[in-house]
């Protein structure tokens, strides 16, 4: 109808039940006023039961939404974005499937931070990015049996418990249901990294802290996507990927990785994409090349690394010419030495790749300057010796005479001790 509001069948049925309830109350009131007193109690009981049944027939009220949040039961989504929350809301509706807690001030995520009654059994996607998280404790994500996607990006994590994803004890906890884990931009600020007080106290680096959380027990064996980009990682600890056999996507781009010598990709048989762009890689050695070539479905991305094109690059160049797993390999160019800068790796041959012992011009200039300085110091020292030659000669004579007198005294004592007659004479003279 124009100018009116359309009403669904559920609303019409609810209005009908309310009309019936009002009519029943009117009839019951008339009957109770005309009936004997003895029947009043029974009529009131029947009216109460009728009202209870009428109320129970009404559709249930929607679950309560936390005050600072926005909820959509139809979309199973709760958004508590940029609300300056210091802890996870306690009254989250049990229907939530997608929970956004971004842009808050959570600081610490304690154990059982999402434990509720009734439990959040349907929560599958949890976004905590940009919430100034500094510490995630053991069992922080326990009691979330359906959690599949977790975003902790853009948080200055200084403490990530080894049991953050597995409960308080990885050996007895059930494996996590996580399929996607986003841990990019979680490196603490530079001043905190330079302090290193926490890492020194626990005898590990930032890289070691992340690795401990990834390889604790078998908690993340179902993980398929792992994002560790933009964390200033200098290296990958040994066996950091050993407990992640289901990985299909691994993003290590925009870090400071110099080498992949200590990391093994052998068990990542399902890996489909490996992002190593924008790192500090200089060369990939034969062990790494063989492991990557042994992965049946992988695609590798190696753009924007400072490749050093010397004799150590020969095996990698030969591998690049044969393999098809490196995406955009025609864009890979040399960064060092200077004479090879911007040369395309695929266009190099063995004659181009030599380990030339000749030092760069800048380094040669430095050594020449150092030699001149040392020569001047030596000349000054010799000049001082020449000007003081008489004093030095007299000093040497004095030292020679002192040493000679000292040695003669030792020789005289030796002769006395060796001749028994002189020994008796010396004893009688003492008497």
């Amino acid at each position: 109808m124009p100018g009116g509001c359309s009403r669904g069948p559920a609303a019409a049925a609810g209005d009908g039940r309310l009309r019936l309830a009002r009519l029943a109350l009117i009839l019951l009131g008339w009957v109770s006023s005309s009936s004997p007193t003895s029947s009043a109690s029974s009529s009131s009981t029947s009216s109460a039961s009728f009202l209870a049944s009428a109320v129970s027939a009404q559709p249930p009220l929607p679950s309560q939404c936390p005050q600072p949040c926005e909820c959509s039961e139809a979309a199973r989504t709760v958004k508590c974005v940029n609300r300056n929350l210091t802890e996870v809301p306690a009254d989250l509706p049990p229907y939530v499937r997608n929970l956004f807690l971004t842009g808050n001030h959570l600081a610490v995520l304690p154990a059982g931070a999402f434990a509720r009654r009734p439990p959040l059994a349907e929560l599958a996607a949890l976004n905590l990015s940009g919430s100034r998280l500094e510490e995630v404790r053991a069992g922080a994500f326990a009691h979330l049996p359906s959690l599949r996607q977790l975003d902790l990006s853009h948080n200055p994590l200084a403490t990530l418990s080894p049991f953050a994803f597995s409960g308080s004890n990885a050996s007895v906890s059930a494996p996590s249901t996580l399929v996607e884990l986003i841990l990019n931009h979680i490196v603490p600020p530079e001043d905190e990294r330079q302090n290193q007080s926490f890492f020194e106290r626990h005898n590990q680096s930032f890289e070691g802290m992340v690795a401990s959380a990834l390889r604790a027990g078998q908690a993340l064996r179902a993980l398929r996507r792992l994002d560790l980009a933009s964390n200033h990682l200098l290296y990958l600890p040994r066996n950091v990927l050993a407990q992640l056999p289901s990985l299909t996507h691994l993003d290590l781009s925009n870090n400071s990785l110099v080498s992949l010598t200590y990391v093994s990709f052998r068990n990542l048989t399902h890996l489909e994409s490996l992002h190593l762009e924008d790192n500090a890689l200089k060369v990939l050695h034969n062990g790494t090349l063989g492991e990557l070539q042994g992965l049946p479905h992988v695609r590798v991305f190696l753009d924007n690394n400072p490749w050093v094109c010397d004799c150590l690059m020969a095996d990698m160049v030969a591998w690049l010419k044969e393999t098809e797993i490196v995406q955009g390999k025609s864009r890979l160019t040399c960064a060092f030495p200077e004479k090879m800068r911007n040369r395309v790796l695929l266009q190099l041959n063995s004659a181009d790749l030599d380990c030339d012992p000749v030092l760069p011009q800048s380094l040669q200039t430095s050594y020449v300057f150092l030699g001149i300085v040392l020569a001047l110091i030596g000349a000054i020292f010799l000049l001082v010796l020449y000007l003081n030659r008489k004093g030095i000669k007299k000093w040497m004579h004095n030292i020679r005479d002192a040493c000679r007198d000292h040695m003669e005294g030792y020789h005289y004592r030796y002769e006395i001790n060796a001749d028994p007659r002189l020994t008796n004479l010396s004893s009688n003279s003492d008497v």
Side-chain angles (χ1 to χ4, degrees):
M1 293 176 60
C5 298
S6 60
R7 307 185 64 178
D15 291 346
R17 295 190 188 96
L18 288 175
R19 292 194 196 96
L20 287 175
R22 294 193 188 98
L23 181 59
L25 286 174
I26 295 172
L27 291 175
L28 286 172
W30 178 77
V31 171
S32 61
S33 63
S34 60
S35 61
T37 307
S38 60
S39 63
S41 60
S42 62
S43 63
S44 62
T45 304
S46 62
S47 63
S49 62
F50 180 82
L51 287 173
S53 63
V55 172
S56 64
Q58 297 295 316
L61 294 173
S63 299
Q64 184 179 3
C65 183
Q67 185 175 2
C69 305
E70 300 175 2
C71 303
S72 172
E73 186 173 3
R76 299 290 192 268
T77 299
V78 175
K79 294 183 178 180
C80 310
V81 179
N82 297 325
R83 299 296 183 179
N84 296 325
L85 298 176
T86 57
E87 59 183 11
V88 180
D91 49 350
L92 291 170
Y95 64 73
V96 62
R97 186 173 300 164
N98 306 296
L99 178 57
F100 294 86
L101 293 172
T102 60
N104 290 293
H105 299 267
L106 298 180
V108 177
L109 207 60
F114 298 91
R116 300 291 184 276
R117 287 179 180 265
L120 305 177
E122 297 186 24
L123 183 58
L126 175 58
N127 193 327
L128 291 162
S129 64
S131 287
R132 302 188 184 181
L133 271 173
E134 298 178 4
E135 181 178 0
V136 178
R137 296 177 180 171
F141 305 103
H143 310 285
L144 296 177
S146 302
L147 186 62
R148 295 175 62 82
Q149 298 175 337
L150 176 60
D151 189 346
L152 293 174
S153 62
H154 295 274
N155 284 296
L157 286 180
T159 308
L160 180 62
S161 170
F163 308 112
F165 310 112
S166 60
S168 58
N169 190 339
S171 61
V172 298
S173 300
S176 172
T177 56
L178 276 177
V179 172
E180 180 176 351
L181 179 58
I182 302 176
L183 292 173
N184 62 53
H185 294 90
I186 65 167
V187 63
E190 187 64 27
D191 54 347
E192 293 185 21
R193 282 180 68 94
Q194 289 177 353
N195 186 15
Q196 293 289 323
S197 59
F198 170 81
F199 302 121
E200 290 175 0
R201 209 164 51 239
H202 289 74
N203 194 27
Q204 65 176 353
S205 61
F206 175 78
E207 291 83 357
M209 180 190 74
V210 175
S212 297
L214 294 177
R215 63 190 178 197
Q218 299 183 355
L220 297 176
R221 292 189 68 82
L223 193 67
R224 295 175 61 83
R225 299 178 65 86
L226 176 61
D227 189 345
L228 291 171
S230 304
N231 285 317
H232 302 298
L233 296 174
L234 297 174
Y235 67 98
L236 291 178
R238 195 180 301 273
N239 298 326
V240 63
L241 306 173
Q243 301 296 334
L244 307 173
S246 301
L247 273 186
T248 60
H249 174 88
L250 177 59
D251 193 346
L252 295 166
S253 61
N254 196 30
N255 282 293
S256 302
L257 297 175
V258 177
S259 172
L260 300 177
T261 303
Y262 299 108
V263 66
S264 175
F265 301 96
R266 186 172 300 143
N267 66 317
L268 304 182
T269 55
H270 301 285
L271 193 63
E272 297 176 2
S273 61
L274 174 61
H275 290 266
L276 292 166
E277 311 99 306
D278 299 290
N279 276 282
L281 296 172
K282 296 177 175 59
V283 66
L284 297 182
H285 298 288
N286 284 339
T288 302
L289 299 177
E291 289 188 357
L292 293 178
Q293 194 64 40
L295 302 179
H297 313 294
V298 73
R299 293 175 300 157
V300 183
F301 300 85
L302 296 171
D303 299 276
N304 299 324
N305 280 283
W307 305 110
V308 177
C309 296
D310 56 12
C311 58
L312 301 178
M313 177 63 72
D315 292 333
M316 180 177 171
V317 169
W319 176 77
L320 284 173
K321 292 179 179 180
E322 297 177 359
T323 188
E324 298 298 328
I325 68 174
V326 178
Q327 306 300 300
K329 60 183 181 179
S330 60
R331 298 191 299 267
L332 303 183
T333 59
C334 302
F336 300 101
E338 184 65 30
K339 66 178 183 179
M340 301 291 289
R341 187 181 296 274
N342 296 326
R343 291 281 301 273
V344 178
L345 265 61
L346 290 179
Q347 297 177 359
L348 300 178
N349 53 51
S350 57
D352 298 321
L353 300 172
D354 58 345
C355 291
D356 192 352
V358 177
L359 296 173
Q361 186 64 34
S362 59
L363 196 57
Q364 291 182 16
T365 304
S366 299
Y367 278 122
V368 169
F369 179 75
L370 179 62
I372 293 173
V373 171
L374 293 176
L376 287 174
I377 294 174
I380 293 172
F381 180 72
L382 292 175
L383 180 62
V384 170
L385 291 179
Y386 176 77
L387 294 176
N388 292 277
R389 61 187 183 280
K390 293 183 178 179
I392 294 173
K393 185 177 181 181
K394 183 178 180 181
W395 177 69
M396 293 295 294
H397 284 303
N398 292 336
I399 292 179
R400 184 190 62 184
D401 293 341
C403 291
R404 182 176 58 192
D405 294 341
H406 199 64
M407 293 303 297
E408 286 179 353
Y410 274 114
H411 181 69
Y412 176 71
R413 291 175 186 172
Y414 174 76
E415 288 180 348
I416 292 176
N417 292 333
D419 192 343
R421 292 175 300 172
L422 294 176
T423 302
N424 295 332
L425 180 61
S426 175
S427 299
N428 295 330
S429 64
D430 289 340
V431 174

